[in-house]
Amino acid sequence: FMLLTKKLIEVRNVLNSIDHNDTLKLPSIVVIGSQSSGKSSVLEAIVGHEFLPKGSNMVTRRPIELTLIHTPHTKEEYGEFPSLGLGKVHDFKRIQETLRDLNMAVPESECVSSKPIELRIYSPNVPDLTMIDLPGYIQITSKNQPISLKEKISELCEKYIQEPNIILAVCAADVDLANSEALRSSRKVDPLGLRTIGVITKMDLVEPERGVAILRNQDYPLHLGYIGVVCRAPGGSSKENITQAVIKTEDAHFRSSYQYSQRGVFVGTGTLRRKLMDILEENMGSNLGSIIKAVQKELDETRYQFKVEYNDQKMSAESYVAESVDKLKHRFKDFSRAFGKPQVRLEIRHMLEQRMLDICAQRYWSDPRINELPQLDSGSTAEEDRLYWDLQLDLASSALTKSGVGRQTTQRVVDILSRTMEQLAEAEPFNHHPDAANTIKTMTHEILSSRSQATADQVENTIKPFKYEVECTDSEWTEGVKRAIALVQTELEMCEDALSKIKTTVGTKKLRKAINFVIESDREEAKRAQRREAIAKLRESNPRQYLEDQARASRDSHSSESTESHGEHSQDDDTQAQEENRSVPEDEDELEAAMRPHFNPKLLVKAREALSLRDRALILKYRLSALKSKTCKNSKNKAQCPEAFLAVVAEKLAYTSVMFIQVELMNEFVFQLPRMIDSRLGVKTGQEAMEKFARENPLVGKHLELMEKRTKLEEVWEKLNYLVRRQEEAKARKW
Ligand code: GDP
């Protein structure tokens, strides 16, 4: 009937994984004992392998939840740490090392942690048991152990030895039982000793008479009794199973003294194993009724919650991943449909037209000779002028065609694609999944950077002819003129907008005053510059005259100073001195500065800005009428209509660039990205990755958790029902 224990151990593990508030508890055997009482040796004798970390300083800092699973039909022996995902560990030395690492990971300041380490051992040589190994009680606190350590260990043990667990109190035969911390603790929670079993280790260290006296203990009677063992590890190869060796040693020891064969005296690891199995089974069996009730209640509640919160809607990590990936692919598809060749062309043309406007502004609109441009055609213009404007047009056209069109147009599309993917990566549901969002960005970057250089080179190559000559048909010209008019018109509107914005912020009157002042002071400045120039010329052509003038000026100023000091200077002298001073530039600057401060410097900046906007608007209006004039209807007059010609060039560049960008970059991107999304984010990434992904979204995580809980409880419910049926059948057979 060992099946019951086995099944209930399975049930216990399932319940442990879903129950965080200890309402669903099946009993386990909790092992307590003082340090060096032989606790580890007993556990290893039962398991058949050395696997517990040993050392002089305290090594067990966390409870070890040990599940032994009897596997009768195989020779394979191995351990498993379910929460670490290491898989099967066949080498028990490695289990030992892993346990040590897990223990050592508990920070020194915490001393002990109540978070258990789960370990399962599968072997044909172990009984079906669940045991919890706890840190050993310590007597004296050593120098580098904090004072509270002793209390912390006691607290931890006390938590575990509560009902319905069975207590395995380990005491060494050579230590007085009155001093046993394990027995003392167990009596607090189980005064009648109904669920405590005493294990007396190191029976080889005491005389048989004394040994038997301990085992028949009358001072501390335990309902489940005491068992004496000799569990010193025999040494030798760690690969071999030590249980049989221990039992052999024990047999030899206990057979040698007749006292141990008396009735009611229990000795040996074999006896201990059987007894533990019996006790566990009995306890689990008697707990069956209450655990069924608890599971039923929990299951009802979970089902109800699932219905209320999720309307019984199923959810799995896989379906969530598939849904998220589909969403992403759909959105990308929508985007790529909306961002087709015509839209790309529009983008690129817009970019080139902006460049073209900059070139016009720089090469034409700020050219002081711009007003002569329309008269170019009158026939009277000199050959020299004609050449000048032809050259201007050539330079402007090259500035456009040689501005790195390949790189820039490609980069523009790359930027748009990157930005779009970034937005998709940051939108629901990927806002919950930073790693996946990064993957989306990485994929985008990978595809684009693998294509962009080649694309840029291709584009640059295909636009090469335009760098030498741009021909255009009449209809192209007409279109170019239309676009140029629209562009200049927009530019003009922007200009006027900016101007009126300044007007409203500053105030029309105030602005006008400031503008007048700026104009006035510019005019003054120009005059001064002229005068300075004249002086410079004079200095060069007639140095003597210049020196004489200087000398006279300084003499006069000195004399005026001295008059002043005598206090007899007249109004006339003063005026004269000032008049003289005016011819000295430095002094004049000072005077000028003294007159200025009525205007706030920021206001003057605004005034200058307004002034240049006004000039620009004037030129733009002028250009607009030129472009609309009869002259610009004819493509032969392109030198007079540079805006229209450059608009034609921009259109040609855009058209050609886009053909190659479409083939080399866009098509590749639209083809590759969905495939990459599938392989790097989709269901192919494996169950573990999908679980991790799904749980990053807290809402989905909760949903999944509840689903999982329901599934597990249903599974447990099935198992329990099966066991109850078996028990009834067995009872019926007995009757
Ligand atoms: P723990 O600290 O309670 O886990 O104790 P250990 O199992 O590490 O044992 C402490 C020491 O007692 C070790 O040196 C063991 O070899 C020794 N020991 C354990 N069991 C026996 C035994 O039955 N007889 C003898 N003589 N020594 C034992």
Side-chain angles (χ1 to χ4, degrees):
F1 208 55
M2 281 300 124
L3 183 79
L4 179 66
T5 313
K6 199 179 190 68
K7 290 284 165 202
L8 285 178
I9 287 173
E10 283 170 23
V11 166
R12 184 178 178 277
N13 283 336
V14 175
L15 291 178
N16 268 358
S17 72
I18 48 172
D19 180 46
H20 307 295
N21 39 19
D22 290 352
T23 49
L24 306 172
K25 264 210 132 141
L26 272 170
S28 177
I29 298 166
V30 179
V31 189
I32 54 171
S34 300
Q35 252 186 347
S36 300
S37 59
K39 201 157 59 72
S40 311
S41 305
V42 171
L43 281 171
E44 288 175 343
I46 292 172
V47 170
H49 288 278
E50 278 191 55
F51 70 99
L52 289 166
K54 304 197 181 74
S56 52
N57 58 340
M58 206 255 313
V59 271
T60 306
R61 294 187 183 191
R62 286 171 65 179
I64 302 172
E65 286 237 15
L66 189 62
T67 304
L68 307 184
I69 296 133
H70 180 58
T71 50
H73 306 297
T74 163
K75 278 200 166 130
E76 201 184 11
E77 289 185 284
Y78 61 91
E80 236 178 38
F81 293 92
S83 56
L84 297 189
L86 295 172
K88 294 180 178 180
V89 185
H90 290 94
D91 183 1
F92 281 80
K93 272 259 167 313
R94 222 186 120 208
I95 296 181
Q96 199 171 30
E97 280 158 19
T98 309
L99 285 174
R100 180 182 304 121
D101 294 347
L102 288 169
N103 270 308
M104 287 313 188
V106 176
E108 200 78 39
S109 56
E110 260 182 61
C111 318
V112 289
S113 154
S114 62
K115 196 169 170 276
I117 299 169
E118 248 189 289
L119 171 60
R120 297 186 187 160
I121 288 172
Y122 297 81
S123 162
N125 306 314
V126 296
D128 285 307
L129 282 179
T130 65
M131 307 180 93
I132 301 169
D133 184 27
L134 291 169
Y137 292 107
I138 51 170
Q139 299 306 322
I140 4 138
T141 349
S142 80
K143 255 182 262 155
N144 41 12
Q145 283 168 339
I147 302 293
S148 60
L149 181 62
K150 198 174 162 176
E151 280 81 53
K152 279 198 172 172
I153 293 174
S154 296
E155 272 170 31
L156 180 62
C157 293
E158 202 169 315
K159 188 182 149 206
Y160 273 89
I161 56 179
Q162 302 298 327
E163 276 193 280
N165 285 339
I166 298 146
I167 304 166
L168 193 86
V170 178
C171 321
D174 60 341
V175 177
D176 192 350
L177 286 199
N179 290 331
S180 164
E181 198 70 42
L183 286 178
R184 222 195 323 259
S185 301
S186 73
R187 258 138 80 90
K188 276 194 214 153
V189 293
D190 178 30
L192 297 178
L194 294 176
R195 51 185 182 92
T196 305
I197 176 165
V199 173
I200 310 299
T201 58
K202 310 189 188 180
M203 287 295 285
D204 55 325
L205 298 185
V206 291
E207 292 303 316
E209 286 79 22
R210 182 156 161 61
V212 169
I214 296 172
L215 297 180
R216 288 185 183 281
N217 191 298
Q218 297 305 318
D219 294 341
Y220 307 100
L222 292 176
H223 182 72
L224 298 175
Y226 288 89
I227 296 182
V229 294
V230 180
C231 288
R232 204 168 27 173
S237 161
S238 64
K239 286 233 164 30
E240 275 163 42
N241 195 292
I242 57 174
T243 311
Q244 290 315 315
V246 167
I247 291 178
K248 227 174 169 179
T249 320
E250 284 177 326
D251 272 358
H253 177 76
F254 292 122
R255 284 229 183 94
S256 67
S257 313
Y258 72 95
Q259 285 96 331
Y260 291 120
S261 53
Q262 296 172 57
R263 276 191 65 143
V265 173
F266 299 101
V267 288
T269 301
T271 313
L272 175 62
R273 279 170 45 138
R274 273 191 302 280
K275 194 148 192 163
L276 288 179
M277 286 158 77
D278 289 347
I279 293 171
L280 190 63
E281 169 157 335
E282 204 184 304
N283 263 268
M284 283 198 158
S286 65
N287 267 287
L288 200 56
S290 65
I291 200 73
I292 286 176
K293 253 184 227 153
V295 168
Q296 171 77 72
K297 188 164 167 265
E298 192 77 13
L299 184 57
D300 285 349
E301 272 169 21
T302 309
R303 280 181 174 152
Y304 179 73
Q305 199 186 351
F306 193 62
K307 184 160 188 68
V308 170
E309 284 180 28
Y310 301 104
N311 198 21
D312 275 341
Q313 207 175 341
K314 288 228 166 72
M315 160 71 82
S316 71
E318 188 167 348
S319 69
Y320 176 69
V321 167
E323 203 179 294
S324 306
V325 163
D326 270 0
K327 237 181 231 170
L328 179 65
K329 288 197 320 198
H330 261 110
R331 285 191 196 142
F332 176 67
K333 206 171 185 178
D334 287 347
F335 159 76
S336 62
R337 267 204 211 112
F339 191 62
K341 212 166 172 178
Q343 288 77 22
V344 180
R345 191 178 304 139
L346 224 64
E347 276 293 331
I348 300 255
R349 199 177 71 194
H350 180 71
M351 183 191 106
L352 291 169
E353 281 172 351
Q354 291 309 305
R355 165 78 34 88
M356 165 219 141
L357 288 173
D358 287 345
I359 293 170
C360 286
Q362 198 189 344
R363 298 208 158 263
Y364 285 95
W365 303 337
S366 51
D367 189 323
R369 295 177 61 182
I370 185 75
N371 292 347
E372 296 168 13
L373 190 53
Q375 278 92 54
L376 189 61
D377 198 29
S378 64
S380 62
T381 31
E383 186 62 17
E384 195 184 312
D385 289 341
R386 199 172 281 285
L387 279 174
Y388 174 81
W389 291 112
D390 282 347
L391 182 65
Q392 280 297 327
L393 191 65
D394 271 356
L395 288 175
S397 175
S398 313
L400 190 55
T401 54
K402 293 181 186 167
S403 59
V405 175
R407 199 168 44 78
Q408 304 220 5
T409 54
T410 305
Q411 191 57 45
R412 177 69 158 222
V413 177
V414 165
D415 286 347
I416 292 171
L417 294 176
S418 305
R419 214 177 324 119
T420 306
M421 292 317 296
E422 232 163 75
Q423 279 164 2
L424 293 185
E426 271 149 28
E428 182 82 31
F430 289 94
N431 52 344
H432 299 292
H433 311 289
D435 287 347
N438 269 335
T439 307
I440 295 173
K441 291 177 201 167
T442 311
M443 292 185 302
T444 307
H445 181 75
E446 269 175 34
I447 304 175
L448 292 178
S449 59
S450 76
R451 307 296 313 171
S452 63
Q453 188 58 50
T455 309
D457 290 349
Q458 274 275 18
V459 171
E460 198 62 45
N461 242 335
T462 47
I463 60 133
K464 203 170 175 185
F466 297 131
K467 292 180 184 172
Y468 300 96
E469 193 184 14
V470 178
E471 282 176 304
C472 82
T473 63
D474 283 347
S475 70
E476 282 170 348
W477 177 259
T478 315
E479 285 303 307
V481 173
K482 256 192 226 161
R483 267 200 318 282
I485 290 174
L487 285 167
V488 175
Q489 182 73 47
T490 320
E491 194 71 8
L492 176 62
E493 277 158 20
M494 271 163 39
C495 213
E496 282 171 339
D497 273 2
L499 192 57
S500 73
K501 210 172 266 163
I502 294 181
K503 269 184 196 159
T504 45
T505 47
V506 176
T508 321
K509 251 189 181 164
K510 205 168 159 193
L511 185 65
R512 195 185 304 133
K513 271 189 194 158
I515 287 178
N516 286 339
F517 175 78
V518 167
I519 293 174
E520 193 52 42
S521 53
D522 280 358
R523 206 173 284 152
E524 295 279 318
E525 176 57 36
K527 264 193 219 159
R528 277 199 302 280
Q530 258 175 7
R531 231 175 291 148
R532 269 197 292 269
E533 216 173 292
I535 290 170
K537 257 189 199 149
L538 185 64
R539 190 168 15 183
E540 250 174 60
S541 59
N542 197 346
R544 238 177 57 82
Q545 173 73 44
Y546 171 74
L547 284 175
E548 258 171 36
D549 283 359
Q550 286 284 302
R552 182 152 41 85
S554 93
R555 219 176 19 251
D556 287 351
S557 75
H558 276 213
S559 73
S560 83
E561 254 171 47
S562 61
T563 354
E564 208 170 334
S565 63
H566 286 108
E568 333 171 332
H569 73 287
S570 66
Q571 183 70 34
D572 267 7
D573 287 339
D574 224 21
T575 332
Q576 203 198 345
Q578 262 185 14
E579 215 102 88
E580 294 296 334
N581 274 349
R582 194 157 287 177
S583 65
V584 183
E586 287 83 2
D587 291 356
E588 196 177 11
D589 280 349
E590 275 168 35
L591 198 69
E592 163 70 30
M595 282 166 60
R596 208 190 302 254
H598 312 297
F599 290 97
N600 174 335
K602 271 189 198 150
L603 176 61
L604 291 179
V605 170
K606 284 271 173 227
R608 281 197 186 281
E609 214 177 297
L611 209 53
S612 78
L613 282 168
R614 206 173 66 178
D615 291 347
R616 163 75 72 96
L618 217 63
I619 292 171
L620 288 173
K621 272 184 200 154
Y622 199 63
R623 291 306 305 153
L624 209 51
S625 69
L627 285 165
K628 286 176 180 167
S629 75
K630 226 176 141 192
T631 319
C632 283
K633 294 254 180 321
N634 191 339
S635 64
K636 283 206 181 65
N637 300 330
K638 62 183 181 191
Q640 282 160 280
C641 319
E643 295 89 352
F645 182 68
L646 291 176
V648 171
V649 176
E651 164 67 12
K652 282 181 183 275
L653 288 175
Y655 188 87
T656 315
S657 308
V658 170
M659 282 199 304
F660 284 87
I661 288 175
Q662 188 69 32
V663 175
E664 296 285 328
L665 191 72
M666 291 292 292
N667 288 356
E668 279 296 320
F669 191 69
V670 171
F671 177 80
Q672 281 188 29
L673 191 76
R675 282 160 181 75
M676 264 199 188
I677 291 175
D678 276 340
S679 69
R680 294 199 201 171
L681 295 176
V683 292
K684 291 177 207 154
T685 52
Q687 194 58 38
E688 210 176 304
M690 289 195 291
E691 289 286 340
K692 180 177 168 283
F693 179 88
R695 275 163 217 279
E696 281 172 351
N697 185 337
L699 283 178
V700 176
K702 262 195 192 157
H703 194 160
L704 282 175
E705 218 164 87
L706 198 65
M707 278 252 333
E708 203 177 272
K709 189 172 175 184
R710 195 184 73 165
T711 315
K712 281 182 175 173
L713 282 169
E714 277 167 352
E715 183 192 320
V716 161
W717 178 244
E718 279 297 311
K719 276 192 178 142
L720 290 173
N721 267 318
Y722 171 75
L723 288 177
V724 170
R725 267 202 309 280
R726 287 281 303 247
Q727 260 190 337
E728 313 257 279
E729 276 166 25
K731 255 190 226 155
R733 242 177 278 133
K734 259 189 213 159
W735 287 103

